[in-house]
Amino acid sequence: MAKEMIAMLLAGGQGSRLYALTQKLAKPAVPFGGKYRIIDFPLSNCVNSGIDTVGILTQYQPLVLNEYIGNGQPWDLDRLHGGVHVLPPYQKASGSDWYKGTANAIYQNISFIERYDPQYVIILSGDQICKQDYSEFLKFHKEKGAEFSVAVMEVPWEEAPRFGLMVADESGRITEFQEKPKNPKSNLASMGIYIFNWDILKKYLEEDEADPESENDFGNNIIPNLLRDNRKMYAYRFSGYWKDVGTISSLWEANMEVLDPEHSGINLFDEDWKIYSRNSGMTGHKINAGAIVENSMITDGCRIKGCVKHSILFAGVKVEKGAVIEDAVIMGGSVIKSGAVVKHCIVAENVTIGENAVVGAMPSEDENGVATIGAGITIGDNAVIGPKAMVDKNVEGGEEQW
Amino acid sequence: MVNSNTGALGIIFPNSYDSLVPELVNVRLMASIPFASRYRLIDFILSSMTHCDIDNISVMVNNNYHSLMDHLDSGREWDLVRKNGGLHIFPPFAEKTSKPYTGRVGALASILDFLKDQKEKYVVMTDTNVVVNFDFSAMIKAHIESGADVTIAYNEQKLPDALIKNQSNDKGYYYTLDIENGRVKKIYVNAEDTGIQNFSLNIYVIERELLIDLINTAFVRGQEYFERDVLLPHLNKLNVQAYKYDGYVARICDIKSYFDENMKLLDDYNLDALFSGSPIYTKIRDDNPTRYIEGAKVQNVMVADGCIIEGDVENSILFRGVKIAKGAKVRNCVLMQGTEIEAGANVEYLITDKNVTITSGKEMKGTDTFPVYISKFQTV
């Protein structure tokens, strides 16, 4: 039974810029938005777009991700034919290899793709927050008679040099690709989401693999090769919310934007485009008398006795009496003890912040760092964590870290 | 043990005591009444059973069971999609002569062939109007150790006024136990005694073969009630043991107790007592987290996911997807899934069923002793 289009989701990234958050888990498994993980977004997009076969390419610290994906049931991806498959590098008769680059990761799984005999393959990235209808994208690809299409976002010209840019003519046909150029000729940034005709993708993957000089990367090798051969390549403009959450500050910012869907455009309250996730199974959250909760998102299992302002709390967070949380992202199972002040920061899962400890600070003129506390860390009573700190070891009571 | 699972199968009677809460079961049955902000009553028994490795569970639905079928679906949320055992829903078998059951005997008689085919040695039977995080393994162990024919779980509490005062005939039977050295000497039906009683939880452990025999005999004689007709007259022959349960118990006896038992969970002590055991599973709705918008004021509330709160809420239980608009004031309410309280509305002591809307500026107040109930899909 052939599938029209299957998805390959690149989830092997280490996410080294998220450092303390990705010590023990891959970037796509990083929690986001109160009850999700980053990978919930592309997976939910797939299901909502009618794609029922997804290969997830993992490499770095896959344990949490593997367990989280499981049989794919929370995303309705437990299917008889297709469904979700986690694809780590594996050993072959001819030897074994880590995924050398994004293109090589797909190359090593050509036989997986061929089992479904698809006409099209969509390549997705596991480190973006975006709600996108891939069926609209495919429709565009077919209408253009394209062999390759890439989703692009218009970005401000002054920011364009930070991105891979697609130069396209009036019809949307791509004439040139510029990777982080000093003098941009376009402000259409690649979102790293591609649709290929499978026969074309396979041909170029095989050719790329045969080239010992290649970095086996889509941006650096495959796309330039397609251009060289004057293939039918089109840029598909996407105008919804899209954010690469590869850095601490962008991850924090994206979380804060969830609190303001009216302005940011990232609306998780959309009944027609639900984002699915594995459920915590905890009871409803509880806000005690004397607590203050303003402009925040709170989910199951939380117990709030202190003050929470403009923050996102994940499942099972406990905020004791007298604790103050502001502009913060507090991930699942963390405990903020009484009198602690936690501001403008990211606190990962199962962290304990001791009594009267201070973590992070609201931005001042020359300082707008987002303090980050890694998973499972204990911050002792009366400890002080500065706004630039990246904490990946326990901090004793009364100590300071900047 | 592939074919014996763990030695006990479960049978749940989801319609028991429906008549105590006529308002709430208008469009559903006891088992599917929403409780504690995100659950339905049956979730507690089902989760308790699966945690005790009881994974062959039959639900004897009688009437009004669409909501329960929708809730249970394949049983996946409770890990009850099994090759051996799993979840079975048994509606009354439609024949010319058949009618909905009035008691357990009729229900069980209709599945005798099924029961004969099962491999488990014991049967655990329960209703769903009692909310417990129950350790069935401990009770089965006690049953085996005592050598009992039947074990009945009970707790020590006063009989609820709702049961004593309600003198109509349709309240259903409830049972109190006279216990001597652990053995049940007498079963009282619809007693009106004051003070602490040994109040049956209607949770039973019995050997499957014995249950089949007892039901066979009773059904032939046209008897209906397991307790009144099967156990009570034979207490001298059957070794019926009492099993005291000390854990948290919430009993739904009328709409007032439904309101009170929800409200009691606002006390952390009670909440922990009910939920600190094994996790309770329920149907997943994939809601986003609850959003508190600028200007929201909340004190002493339990809230499920998917709510949007802009107003002022105190001492209330909010189920999934409730919306409280700006300037709305909510006090001492139980608001079920999808309730909307529009701007400026002022409500107190209300129980709103699913998808009720209180339009802007309206004022609706019940009292401490008489919470007002508003039925499903009503707009005030």
Side-chain angles (χ1 to χ4, degrees):
Chain A
M1 222 178 3
K3 301 266 179 194
E4 183 178 33
M5 180 159 82
I6 72 166
M8 298 297 276
L9 175 52
L10 298 165
Q14 181 180 352
S16 52
R17 286 172 302 166
L18 293 178
Y19 191 65
L21 300 179
T22 50
Q23 289 296 293
K24 294 210 174 80
L25 75 176
K27 185 154 70 167
V30 168
F32 179 82
K35 64 182 290 191
Y36 310 98
R37 292 182 189 264
I38 295 171
I39 199 166
D40 289 331
F41 286 79
L43 283 182
S44 302
N45 287 342
C46 281
V47 173
N48 291 337
S49 305
I51 299 171
D52 64 5
T53 306
V54 184
I56 301 180
L57 300 140
T58 61
Q59 176 152 286
Y60 174 80
Q61 288 282 16
L63 187 64
V64 173
L65 193 59
N66 287 354
E67 194 198 353
Y68 186 68
I69 300 299
N71 67 352
Q73 183 267 318
W75 304 270
D76 209 14
L77 284 171
D78 50 337
R79 297 297 173 89
L80 276 182
H81 181 61
V84 66
H85 297 264
V86 176
L87 304 169
Y90 58 97
Q91 205 167 24
K92 305 159 202 65
S94 56
S96 66
D97 229 332
W98 293 105
Y99 293 149
K100 288 176 286 183
T102 50
N104 177 255
I106 307 291
Y107 172 82
Q108 290 200 37
N109 288 288
I110 284 178
S111 53
F112 169 80
I113 298 173
E114 295 210 303
R115 273 164 48 187
Y116 299 101
D117 189 19
Q119 235 175 315
Y120 308 100
V121 174
I122 186 166
I123 310 287
L124 302 170
S125 130
D127 52 7
Q128 304 172 350
I129 301 300
C130 179
K131 292 188 349 185
Q132 187 181 4
D133 188 342
Y134 303 140
S135 66
E136 290 291 321
F137 186 15
L138 179 61
K139 204 170 125 204
F140 168 89
H141 181 84
K142 288 197 262 187
E143 277 170 7
K144 292 289 178 190
E147 293 168 309
F148 164 89
S149 302
V150 53
V152 295
M153 283 279 291
E154 247 178 71
V155 294
W157 279 97
E158 63 273 19
E159 284 182 34
R162 286 174 39 219
F163 294 93
L165 302 173
M166 297 293 164
V167 186
D169 65 17
E170 276 168 20
S171 71
R173 184 152 182 172
I174 297 166
T175 54
E176 195 181 339
F177 172 63
Q178 296 183 299
E179 179 68 25
K180 295 179 183 154
K182 282 205 181 85
N183 302 306
K185 291 187 203 164
S186 158
N187 67 338
L188 296 178
S190 165
M191 293 162 64
I193 299 176
Y194 316 118
I195 292 180
F196 282 94
N197 292 359
W198 171 231
D199 52 351
I200 296 290
L201 176 58
K202 189 180 172 193
K203 176 173 151 44
Y204 279 82
L205 286 176
E206 283 171 345
E207 182 194 304
D208 177 65
E209 188 62 19
D211 175 5
E213 302 294 309
S214 174
E215 295 164 48
N216 308 115
D217 183 82
F218 275 102
N220 293 334
N221 306 104
I222 302 287
I223 295 174
N225 289 350
L226 288 164
L227 269 169
R228 176 199 65 200
D229 296 347
N230 207 17
R231 289 284 171 189
K232 284 179 261 174
M233 305 167 70
Y234 285 86
Y236 171 71
R237 285 167 187 253
F238 176 74
S239 56
Y241 181 91
W242 176 76
K243 193 148 204 152
D244 180 331
V245 288
T247 64
I248 293 288
S249 61
S250 67
L251 179 65
W252 176 85
E253 210 174 277
N255 272 288
M256 291 299 124
E257 283 170 348
V258 166
L259 289 175
D260 186 20
E262 287 80 6
H263 297 98
S264 67
I266 176 75
N267 183 11
L268 300 181
F269 286 71
D270 186 351
E271 282 290 313
D272 297 329
W273 203 268
K274 272 195 178 182
I275 303 301
Y276 302 100
S277 65
R278 202 170 275 280
N279 202 274
S280 72
M282 294 181 185
T283 182
H285 67 266
K286 175 87 198 298
I287 297 174
N288 280 41
I292 298 170
V293 176
E294 284 176 12
N295 203 6
S296 295
M297 290 221 326
I298 297 180
T299 188
D300 291 342
C302 290
R303 301 284 187 94
I304 316 294
K305 293 176 180 168
C307 169
V308 179
K309 289 182 178 172
H310 198 249
S311 294
I312 292 199
L313 273 50
F314 288 66
V317 168
K318 293 192 169 53
V319 181
E320 292 186 357
K321 208 168 171 176
V324 177
I325 295 176
E326 195 170 351
D327 281 8
V329 177
I330 315 283
M331 295 180 188
S334 289
V335 179
I336 316 297
K337 298 218 164 172
S338 68
V341 177
V342 177
K343 290 185 173 177
H344 205 265
C345 62
I346 297 178
V347 174
E349 295 164 291
N350 303 313
V351 167
T352 303
I353 311 273
E355 288 179 19
N356 303 313
V358 176
V359 175
M362 297 304 276
S364 55
E365 277 170 26
D366 52 344
E367 179 59 75
N368 64 351
V370 177
T372 307
I373 316 287
I377 298 292
T378 300
I379 306 291
D381 297 348
N382 302 305
V384 178
I385 307 297
K388 274 187 193 155
M390 179 75 95
V391 182
D392 62 349
K393 288 192 182 66
N394 290 345
V395 175
E396 298 293 321
E399 283 190 2
E400 295 193 6
Q401 186 171 334
W402 293 89
Chain B
M1 292 256 293
V2 166
N3 288 318
S4 70
N5 290 327
T6 58
L9 63 86
I11 300 176
I12 297 175
F13 298 89
N15 284 97
S16 295
Y17 299 108
D18 273 0
S19 58
L20 297 178
V21 280
E23 308 90 337
L24 295 172
V25 299
N26 192 25
V27 288
R28 56 172 79 87
L29 36 50
M30 182 62 84
S32 64
I33 292 175
F35 187 71
S37 87
R38 64 189 292 270
Y39 303 97
R40 303 218 180 212
L41 292 179
I42 198 170
D43 293 338
F44 294 86
I45 291 294
L46 273 185
S47 304
S48 297
M49 282 186 171
T50 50
H51 286 306
C52 295
D53 292 330
I54 299 173
D55 56 8
N56 178 4
I57 300 178
S58 303
V59 181
M60 308 303 299
V61 295
N62 201 359
N63 47 41
N64 267 12
Y65 48 79
H66 284 184
S67 61
L68 185 63
M69 309 255 302
D70 174 57
H71 181 67
L72 296 176
D73 199 10
S74 63
R76 185 171 59 197
E77 309 293 0
W78 300 269
D79 200 19
L80 286 172
V81 181
R82 305 278 115 223
K83 286 217 162 174
N84 295 299
L87 181 72
H88 315 276
I89 298 176
F90 288 107
F93 202 73
E95 291 175 57
K96 270 188 196 147
T97 55
S98 76
K99 53 177 187 186
Y101 337 113
T102 45
R104 294 182 213 286
V105 172
L108 292 170
S110 74
I111 60 161
L112 277 180
D113 287 340
F114 166 81
L115 286 176
K116 283 174 193 161
D117 277 349
Q118 302 310 299
K119 303 287 188 286
E120 287 82 354
K121 187 166 184 198
Y122 300 98
V123 174
V124 174
M125 298 193 290
T126 75
D127 296 333
T128 55
N129 68 315
V130 174
V131 178
V132 280
N133 196 336
F134 198 88
D135 185 349
F136 288 103
S137 303
M139 181 174 172
I140 294 167
K141 188 161 169 263
H143 174 83
I144 295 168
E145 282 170 0
S146 70
D149 294 315
V150 181
T151 302
I152 307 178
Y154 71 98
N155 71 333
E156 291 181 340
Q157 69 164 86
K158 285 184 183 167
L159 293 177
D161 286 348
L163 293 178
I164 296 178
K165 283 179 187 156
N166 178 351
Q167 288 300 338
S168 67
N169 291 324
D170 63 357
K171 63 182 166 184
Y173 296 120
Y174 60 89
Y175 310 97
T176 46
L177 312 175
D178 191 0
I179 302 165
E180 201 179 291
N181 294 326
R183 182 162 175 178
V184 176
K185 284 290 169 198
K186 277 182 183 161
I187 297 176
Y188 301 104
V189 180
N190 292 8
E192 293 176 11
D193 300 287
T194 52
I196 301 288
Q197 306 294 319
N198 300 321
F199 192 5
S200 172
L201 293 164
N202 293 4
I203 297 175
Y204 302 94
V205 177
I206 181 171
E207 266 189 44
R208 185 174 49 87
E209 301 281 346
L210 176 62
L211 179 68
I212 292 168
D213 284 350
L214 292 174
I215 296 302
N216 245 333
T217 316
F219 189 64
V220 170
R221 292 178 182 159
Q223 295 167 340
E224 271 298 342
Y225 294 97
F226 180 70
E227 296 84 352
R228 188 194 68 182
D229 304 332
V230 178
L231 295 183
L232 198 152
H234 303 116
L235 284 175
N236 52 344
K237 280 190 290 177
L238 287 171
N239 177 5
V240 179
Q241 293 283 321
Y243 176 79
K244 185 171 154 190
Y245 180 66
D246 286 324
Y248 189 84
V249 176
R251 282 181 198 259
I252 311 304
C253 306
D254 63 349
I255 190 96
K256 174 71 167 56
S257 64
Y258 171 77
F259 180 82
D260 291 342
E261 291 299 346
N262 269 294
M263 285 299 172
K264 266 165 115 177
L265 297 175
L266 288 175
D267 182 333
D268 284 343
Y269 179 83
N270 294 332
L271 189 64
D272 289 338
L274 181 56
F275 288 98
S276 60
S278 310
I280 305 299
Y281 305 123
T282 190
K283 185 180 176 183
I284 301 300
R285 238 183 62 130
D286 290 298
D287 287 297
N288 44 276
T290 282
R291 185 168 165 221
Y292 293 89
I293 295 178
E294 200 82 60
K297 204 165 155 259
V298 279
Q299 296 280 293
N300 199 31
V301 292
M302 178 151 85
V303 185
D305 271 358
C307 299
I308 300 181
I309 298 173
E310 286 190 88
D312 176 0
V313 190
E314 259 184 48
N315 305 328
S316 297
I317 308 278
L318 274 49
F319 287 74
R320 298 188 268 201
V322 168
K323 293 188 174 68
I324 313 282
K326 223 180 186 96
K329 198 171 152 192
V330 176
R331 295 284 182 275
N332 304 299
C333 288
V334 174
L335 307 180
M336 290 187 206
Q337 192 174 311
T339 296
E340 287 192 34
I341 310 290
E342 294 187 354
N346 183 355
V347 296
E348 213 170 302
Y349 291 106
L350 284 197
I351 301 170
T352 61
D353 210 309
K354 282 172 76 175
N355 301 313
V356 163
T357 302
I358 310 287
T359 54
S360 68
K362 294 288 183 305
E363 194 163 305
M364 287 280 293
K365 289 187 179 175
T367 69
D368 184 12
T369 50
F370 196 88
V372 169
Y373 168 81
I374 301 170
S375 60
K376 207 171 165 179
F377 294 116
Q378 294 292 317
T379 298
V380 176

